[in-house]
Every structure is written in structure tokens, then in C-alpha cells.
């Protein structure tokens, strides 16, 4: 058992580090975007145009590709001698071809109706016609990338189901390097239109980087279309509620963009929203998807093994909370330093009010990391159990709350635009609460005394951490946007190191399961 735990920790750690490497390169890409385009009209147009195809994919196919494909693919079993491996790969090819056809049709639709889509996304009177025209033209270039996105998602599911986690975690690293190279060498010449083409090429690069690990895992692509394939029919029946269950985050992005277009400075606040969500998704994604990508195939494989399934769920939830809770506390305390260190240079720094608005929007997003992680893990728990309507209900409830609150905050109460991320926090909290309540009802054995006590210990340790670093931060008294890069980094390191020490000591004192497991591994 100890060897299995060590192997699991090693695998998850590799996934997290690989994901972190790819995400950090993505952050570096966004840092260059902030440097060259700041809060300009071009930035707002590009952010809107880039968001649309990705959100279209997430809404129509994104979660269905992973949320449906992986459980159905793994339902064939793992006996290579039985020949079922060929059936699995045949289903993968049929599913992949189906996804390619759907995404190609979506790309055509998006290119033809790009102007109408942008007008719907940015109805605010102060959003300039020039920005709308530019966004429409950029959208024509960017929309076809969903074809590559669909293929990458599907083939990632194949690799994860075959036990290959490292390559999928690194898949975006090469593409991010390509975009960074564009900023360094071609941006001044080709400008924003060239950047759109670079993003399109980046998704193609991601697809190409999966070829070698797929060949190594003996997967062979074939163009097969069997619409009466039993596995495909099963996947199609599961898809609608799973698609709806994935809409919370992408819908939140669309709702934010739409209502921020009504603000008095839409380009500035759309830019601030983009940069703050970049930091949020980077931190939450690195810490969440390593766990999710590792446990989801295992959940699917053990869906009918109650004891093992409950063990995987409890381990996934407590380990993610153990890591994300302190990270959220540190990000909340150091949000101004984070924005200053990452973005506050070039055009970003020249845009008055952009840094302050970004850090204020980041404040509610820091605690949202906890909700994001819980939602992602619990969605996979319910998908594995074929309880697909529960994530759908949670997602739609959260979207409704976000839509109502955003309208009230921005249009009815005339609150500052930064309240748009408070709506995100509230809507994600509502969705997470629904999922946790459903988990208690449907799989109650997970909430045993040891699990609940351990969760309480982690929460208390994180509260202690937040209090200590807040006191320390007030003593230091840093003004991030007026301080040098070196000082901001120094303040961040002092807070981070002190916080890590406090959190580690607190976990040792309270004897959380994670701290005990760590010391057991050291003894071995």
C-alpha cells in the first residue's frame, strides 16, 4: 500500500510539475501580451475574439470529449489478450472523426457570422465600433482552432486512459513557446493579425506533439464513421447533461465580457478581467488538473467498486484542498504584488488604472480557487458514476446566479466593474454547494468521521496561515505598484516562505492525513 501511495504521489507530482511548466509558459505568453498591448483597443478586441471560439468549444464539446469519452473508452476493460483494445481504439477513431466534423462546422459558422457574434458579445454603447470590427476580423482567423482543440482533447483522453499522463500535461508547452517566439521576433512586423495566426498555429503544434506518445502507445488513427457504433450511441446519450455541466466557467467568461462592455471604460475593464482570470486559472489549473487527470481514469475504472471509489474520492478532495487552500490565502494576500511582478511594465503600466483594477478583480477570484477545484473533482466523480444530471443542475444554477448578479451589480446598482468577479465567486460557491450536497445524498459513505475531521483540520490550518501572513504583510507595509520589481519579489518570498513554514508546522501539530502520509514516505 505504501508503495502504491508513493507511486501515486510521484505520478501526481510529475503531472503537477509538467502542468505547471506548461502553464508558466502560458503565463509568460500573457505577460508579453500585457507588455505589448496593455489595456488597448487591440487587446480588448483580441481578448474577445480569442475567448469566443474557446467558449464555443467548451459549451458544445469540451467537457463531453473528456467527461464522456474517458468513461466510455475505459468501459471496454483492460485485457489486451481479449482483443477489446482494438474495440477501444476503433471507438476512439469514430469519436475523434465525429468531433472533427462537428468542430469544422462550428468553425465555418463562426467565420461566416463573426460580426453578429461580436455584436452580441459587446452590446455596450462605449465599446468602440473600431474594436468590434477588429474583433470580427480576428475571429475569422481564430475560429478554426477549435478543430485542433477537439482533436487534442480527444487524443489526450486516449493517452490518459492508456496510463500516459506526462505528455498531455506538457502538450501546451511547445505551442506556448511558439507564441512567445512570435512576440519576440515577429510581433512588431505582423502585429495583432499575425498574433491571431500564431495562436491558430499553436493548437496545430499541440496536436502534432501528441503523435509520438500515441504511436508509442500503439494507437493508430483511421478515418472511420460508424454512427450506429454502440459506444458512440452511449456517448451521445450521455453528452447533453455533461456538456451543460461544463458551462459554468466558460459562461462566466462570456457573461463578464458582455456586462463589462457596458462600463465607462470597456477596453480597460475587459483587459483587467482577462489578466485577473489568467492568474486565477493558472493557479487553480496547476493545482487542480494534476489531481483530476490522475484520478479520473481511476474513478471510471472503479465506478462499481464502492470501497475503492470512495477512497479515491476522499483522497482527491482532501489532497486538493490541502494544496489549494493555502495557495488561495497567499494569492489573496499578495494579489497586488502578483499583478505588479507579472504584468506591470510596458503598455500595461502606461494604462492608468489597469493594475489597480486587475488586482481588485483578483481578490474574489483567489477564494474561488477552492470552489473551482471542488467543482472540477466532483464533476468527474459524478461522471464516473453516470450521475450526469447533477453537475448539469449545479452548473446551470451557478450560471443563473452569475447572470442575475452581474446584471444587478453592473446595470441596476451601478457598482464598479470589479464586482463582476464577486459574481463569479458567488456563482461558483452555489455550484460547489449543490455538488457537495448531492455527494452526501448519493455517496454518503465518503463523509466518514476521519475524512470530515481531516477537512476541518486543513481549513483551520489555512485560516491560521491567512492570519499570520496578513499580520506580516501589514508590518512590511509594501506599496506594490510603486515598488521596484526586486522589492515586490522579496516581499512575496518573505510571505511565501513564512506562510509555508507556518502551514507545515500547523499541519504537523494537527496531524493531518497528508502530513502523516508525507512522513511515512520519508521513512521508506
Amino acid at each position: 500500500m505504501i508503495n502504491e501511495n508513493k507511486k501515486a504521489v510521484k505520478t501526481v507530482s510529475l503531472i503537477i510539475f509538467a502542468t505547471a511548466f506548461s502553464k508558466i509558459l502560458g503565463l509568460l505568453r500573457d505577460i508579453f501580451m500585457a507588455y505589448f498591448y496593455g489595456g488597448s483597443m487591440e487587446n480588448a478586441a483580441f481578448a474577445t475574439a480569442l475567448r469566443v471560439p474557446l467558449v464555443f468549444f467548451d459549451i458544445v464539446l469540451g467537457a463531453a470529449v473528456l467527461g464522456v469519452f474517458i468513461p466510455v473508452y475505459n468501459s471496454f476493460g483492460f485485457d489486451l489478450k481479449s482483443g477489446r483494445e482494438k474495440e477501444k481504439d476503433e471507438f476512439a477513431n469514430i469519436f475523434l472523426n465525429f468531433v472533427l466534423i462537428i468542430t469544422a462546422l462550428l468553425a465555418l459558422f463562426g467565420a461566416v457570422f463573426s460580426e453578429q457574434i461580436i455584436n452580441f458579445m459587446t452590446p455596450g454603447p462605449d465599446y468602440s465600433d473600431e474594436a468590434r470590427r477588429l474583433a470580427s476580423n480576428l475571429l475569422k482567423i481564430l475560429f478554426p482552432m477549435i478543430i485542433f482543440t477537439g482533436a487534442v482533447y480527444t487524443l489526450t483522453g486516449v493517452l490518459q486512459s492508456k496510463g500516459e499522463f506526462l505528455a498531455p500535461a506538457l502538450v501546451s508547452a511547445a505551442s506556448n513557446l511558439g507564441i512567445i517566439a512570435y512576440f519576440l521576433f515577429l510581433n512588431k512586423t505582423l502585429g495583432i493579425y499575425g498574433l491571431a495566426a500564431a495562436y491558430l498555429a499553436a493548437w496545430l503544434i499541440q496536436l502534432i506533439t501528441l503523435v509520438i506518445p500515441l504511436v508509442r502507445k500503439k494507437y493508430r488513427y483511421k478515418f472511420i464513421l460508424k454512427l450506429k457504433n454502440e459506444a458512440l450511441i452511449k456517448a451521445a446519450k450521455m453528452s447533453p447533461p455533461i456538456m451543460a455541466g461544463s458551462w459554468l466557467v466558460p459562461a462566466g467568461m462570456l457573461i463578464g465580457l458582455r456586462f463589462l462592455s457596458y462600463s465607462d471604460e470597456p477596453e480597460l475593464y475587459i483587459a483587467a478581467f482577462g489578466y485577473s482570470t489568467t492568474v486565477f486559472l493558472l493557479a487553480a489549473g496547476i493545482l487542480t488538473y494534476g489531481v483530476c487527470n490522475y484520478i479520473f481514469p481511476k474513478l471510471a475504472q472503479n465506478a462499481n467498486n464502492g470501497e475503492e471509489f470512495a477512497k479515491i474520492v476522499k483522497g482527491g478532495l482532501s489532497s486538493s484542498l490541502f494544496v489549494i487552500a493555502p495557495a488561495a490565502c497567499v494569492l489573496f494576500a499578495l494579489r497586488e504584488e502578483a499583478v505588479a511582478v507579472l504584468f506591470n511594465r510596458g503598455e500595461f503600466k502606461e494604462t492608468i488604472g489597469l493594475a489597480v483594477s486587475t488586482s481588485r478583480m483578483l481578490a474574489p477570484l483567489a477564494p474561488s480557487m477552492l470552489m473551482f477545484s471542488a467543482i472540477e473533482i466532483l464533476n468527474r466523480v459524478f461522471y464516473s458514476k453516470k450521475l450526469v444530471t447533477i453537475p448539469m443542475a449545479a452548473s446551470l444554477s451557478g450560471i443563473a446566479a452569475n447572470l442575475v448578479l452581474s446584471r444587478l451589480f453592473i446595470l441596476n446598482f451601478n457598482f464598479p466593474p470589479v464586482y463582476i468577479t464577486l459574481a463569479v465567486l458567488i456563482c461558483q460557491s452555489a455550484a460547489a454547494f449543490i455538488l457537495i450536497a448531492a455527494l452526501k445524498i448519493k455517496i454518503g459513505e465518503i463523509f466518514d468521521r476521519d475524512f470530515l475531521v481531516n477537512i476541518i483540520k486543513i481549513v483551520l490550518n489555512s485560516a491560521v496561515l491567512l492570519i499570520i501572513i496578513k499580520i506580516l504583510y501589514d508590518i512590511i507595509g509594501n506599496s506594490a505598484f510603486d515598488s521596484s520589481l526586486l522589492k515586490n519579489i522579496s516581499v512575496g518570498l518573505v510571505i511565501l516562505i513564512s506562510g509555508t513554514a507556518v502551514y507545515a508546522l500547523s499541519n504537523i501539530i494537527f496531524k493531518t492525513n497528508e502530513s502523516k502520509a508525507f512522513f511515512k514516505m520519508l521513512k521508506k
Side-chain angles (χ1 to χ4, degrees), residues 45-59:
F46 188 85
T48 303
L50 179 63
R51 185 72 64 186
V52 169
L54 294 178
V55 168
F56 260 65
F57 177 79
D58 286 340
I59 288 176

Side-chain angles (χ1 to χ4, degrees), residues 103 146 181 230 242 370 391 521:
T103 52
I146 65 171
E230 290 184 9
I242 289 182
L370 298 170
M521 282 196 304

Side-chain angles (χ1 to χ4, degrees), residues 88-264:
K88 291 168 65 175
D89 287 346
E90 180 182 74
F91 164 66
N93 282 320
I94 295 170
F95 191 92
L96 173 58
N97 292 325
F98 183 76
V99 167
L100 291 174
I101 292 171
I102 295 297
T103 52
L105 292 174
L106 283 174
L108 179 62
F109 172 84
V112 172
F113 295 101
S114 63
E115 183 177 345
Q116 290 82 355
I117 293 170
I118 294 299
N119 287 339
F120 174 79
M121 286 293 304
T122 57
D126 290 324
Y127 195 93
S128 68
D129 291 336
E130 184 182 2
R132 288 193 182 95
R133 284 193 297 271
L134 177 58
S136 176
N137 292 334
L138 293 171
L139 187 56
K140 288 182 172 67
I141 300 172
L142 289 166
F143 228 116
M145 73 184 185
I146 65 171
I147 300 171
F148 305 131
T149 306
V152 168
Y153 270 53
T154 304
L155 296 176
T156 292
V158 172
L159 285 171
Q160 289 175 353
S161 297
K162 289 179 178 289
E164 174 60 62
F165 299 99
L166 191 58
L170 286 169
V171 70
S172 62
S175 62
N176 285 332
L177 282 171
I179 296 173
I180 291 169
Y182 174 85
F183 277 119
L184 291 173
F185 303 110
L186 297 174
N187 183 68
K188 290 184 178 180
T189 304
L190 301 179
I192 201 73
Y193 284 103
L195 180 61
Y199 267 81
L200 178 61
W203 276 100
L204 176 59
I205 292 171
Q206 289 195 39
L207 180 57
I208 293 171
T209 57
L210 292 176
V211 171
I212 293 176
L214 284 165
V215 171
R216 195 169 62 243
K217 290 293 181 178
K218 302 187 185 308
Y219 170 78
R220 299 292 183 270
Y221 170 74
K222 293 180 181 179
F223 185 79
I224 307 172
L225 275 180
K226 293 182 180 179
L227 297 182
K228 293 184 179 181
N229 178 271
E230 290 184 9
L232 182 65
I233 293 171
K234 181 180 178 181
K237 290 179 179 178
M238 292 171 58
S239 292
I242 289 182
M243 287 190 293
S246 73
W247 291 348
L248 186 62
V249 172
M253 299 297 104
L254 290 183
I255 291 169
L257 288 173
R258 180 175 171 84
F259 283 100
L260 287 172
S261 74
Y262 286 102
S263 64
D264 54 350

Side-chain angles (χ1 to χ4, degrees), residues 352-379:
I352 298 173
L354 182 55
V356 172
S357 297
T358 301
S359 65
R360 287 177 178 172
M361 284 188 173
L362 190 54
L365 291 177
S368 292
M369 290 170 59
L370 298 170
M371 313 308 166
F372 177 90
S373 176
I375 291 167
E376 290 296 317
I377 292 173
L378 291 177
N379 277 353

